[in-house]
Amino acid sequence: MGRGDKEPRGGGEARTAGPAALSAAAVTAAAVTLVAALLVLRPEDAGSGPGSSMAETEALPKLREDFRMQNKSVFILGASGETGRVLLKEILEQSLFSKVTLIGRRKLTFDEDAYKNVNQEVVDFEKLDDYASAFQGHDVGFCCLGTTRKKAGAEGFVRVDRDYVLKSAELAKAGGCKHFNLLSSKGADKSSSFLYLQVKGEVEARVEELQFDRYSVFRPGVLLCDRQESRPGEWLVRKFFGSLPESWASGHSVPVTTVVRAMLNNAVNPSGKKKELLDNNAIHGLGRADSSLTP
């Protein structure tokens, strides 16, 4: 299971790829991923966090317009990854923020005119204290950072998914961020015996200690997406979920576009809660609140 940024990654993404020949190693990796996914498919996770209603769906256009009028600024961590990439696209399409900033280890190249006003701050995640100014002046922050143990090793995974995320959150809070959104994972639990879920749970708890005015945690199941890089093992995972009854599969997996829709629908909806925990079911509910992401 994994997600997000090529710099780093998070949540669990299954790629739509052609049925390329699967090596023994890829099949083994896919099998391990499936076992890990099944181990965290806990029924008690269902029902936490806000869902959607007809009234909320009908209110969305007004909520978005009210939100735009506030001229808020936003930053995205992990915009080069699958979830962050879609999130940036939809933020721009909805014109929700007066200023959009990407914070990452390298500058991204965009061809479309829609991206011409996007600000980019290039930072060294190993020396984030030297880049505190990049985190200043943002009202809302979305963190989609993450990598995998396979890609970075156990130590690298912990450094990215825990240390980089936590330090970024600390700098964002010091810089005036009011609403921090964290993309985590279904089954996140700091007491878990699985390193991935343990780290996700630990960083959730430590970010909460920073006391943002509003803290929203999203715990999707396996993320279904059209990944840019080829990963045959993840294609097999997607095929597995595609073979399941829709009601079961939707309880344990979710398209990246639905996660993004839930994030944005949640952001424009005022909340008096200090912390919101949205599980896979709640993400599906908010993500289906309307059929279009554009105003």
Side-chain angles (χ1 to χ4, degrees):
M1 298 180 67
R3 166 206 69 215
D5 191 26
K6 286 180 186 172
E7 198 147 274
R9 180 187 179 230
E13 294 183 348
R15 179 186 188 273
T16 304
L22 299 179
S23 66
V27 173
T28 300
V32 171
T33 301
L34 285 176
V35 170
L38 291 171
L39 285 171
V40 301
L41 303 187
R42 302 181 303 182
E44 63 269 23
D45 286 341
S48 66
S52 66
S53 66
M54 183 62 70
E56 289 171 332
T57 299
E58 294 173 349
L60 272 172
K62 180 64 165 56
L63 288 172
R64 288 173 180 153
E65 187 57 36
D66 290 345
F67 191 87
R68 293 186 193 104
M69 295 296 289
Q70 298 175 54
N71 293 317
K72 292 187 176 184
S73 61
V74 65
F75 72 82
I76 301 174
L77 286 158
S80 66
E82 300 301 326
T83 304
R85 181 168 55 86
V86 176
L87 177 63
L88 172 61
K89 177 177 181 293
E90 301 304 342
I91 281 177
L92 295 176
E93 287 191 6
Q94 291 193 40
S95 300
L96 291 176
F97 298 91
S98 60
K99 182 179 180 180
V100 179
T101 300
L102 310 183
I103 302 176
R105 65 179 175 83
R106 61 186 174 85
K107 188 172 183 178
L108 304 181
T109 302
F110 303 104
D111 296 326
E112 299 91 337
D113 286 343
Y115 294 84
K116 64 182 180 181
N117 293 323
V118 173
N119 302 287
Q120 298 198 52
E121 295 281 355
V122 178
V123 303
D124 182 346
F125 282 94
E126 292 293 330
K127 303 175 182 178
L128 275 180
D129 280 323
D130 295 341
Y131 300 88
S133 61
F135 294 86
Q136 293 179 352
H138 308 291
D139 301 294
V140 180
F142 288 94
C143 182
C144 302
L145 282 181
T147 188
T148 62
R149 185 170 181 171
K150 178 180 178 181
K151 187 173 184 178
E155 183 179 340
F157 165 70
V158 173
R159 187 166 67 251
V160 172
D161 282 58
R162 185 190 66 193
D163 299 343
Y164 289 0
V165 171
L166 180 59
K167 189 61 182 180
S168 296
E170 291 174 350
L171 294 173
K173 177 67 189 305
C177 179
K178 304 298 183 183
H179 184 189
F180 191 81
N181 297 267
L182 177 64
L183 181 59
S184 184
S185 173
K186 183 180 179 70
D189 184 349
K190 61 183 180 181
S191 62
S192 174
S193 58
F194 289 91
L195 179 65
Y196 179 84
L197 300 179
Q198 180 187 67
V199 168
K200 292 296 184 183
E202 182 181 353
V203 78
E204 282 185 13
R206 293 180 67 176
V207 171
E208 183 178 4
E209 292 173 359
L210 299 176
Q211 293 292 303
F212 282 94
D213 289 1
R214 185 179 179 186
Y215 175 41
S216 302
V217 179
F218 297 83
R219 288 184 178 177
V222 174
L223 295 177
L224 307 178
C225 63
D226 295 316
R227 186 182 293 284
Q228 292 179 321
E229 58 181 302
S230 178
R231 295 182 180 180
E234 290 190 349
W235 172 80
L236 183 59
V237 175
R238 183 180 175 92
K239 293 292 288 184
F240 167 74
F241 278 97
S243 69
L244 299 173
E246 183 178 354
S247 59
W248 198 93
S250 65
H252 308 302
S253 62
V254 59
V256 165
T257 51
T258 302
V259 176
V260 166
R261 183 177 303 173
M263 285 179 155
L264 296 182
N265 287 347
N266 185 65
V268 302
N269 193 4
S271 172
K273 295 181 178 180
K274 291 279 290 184
K275 178 184 178 181
E276 300 163 308
L277 182 60
L278 295 94
D279 67 6
N280 200 66
N281 287 345
I283 290 170
H284 270 285
L286 274 174
R288 288 195 300 260
D290 65 350
S291 59
S292 174
L293 285 175
T294 55

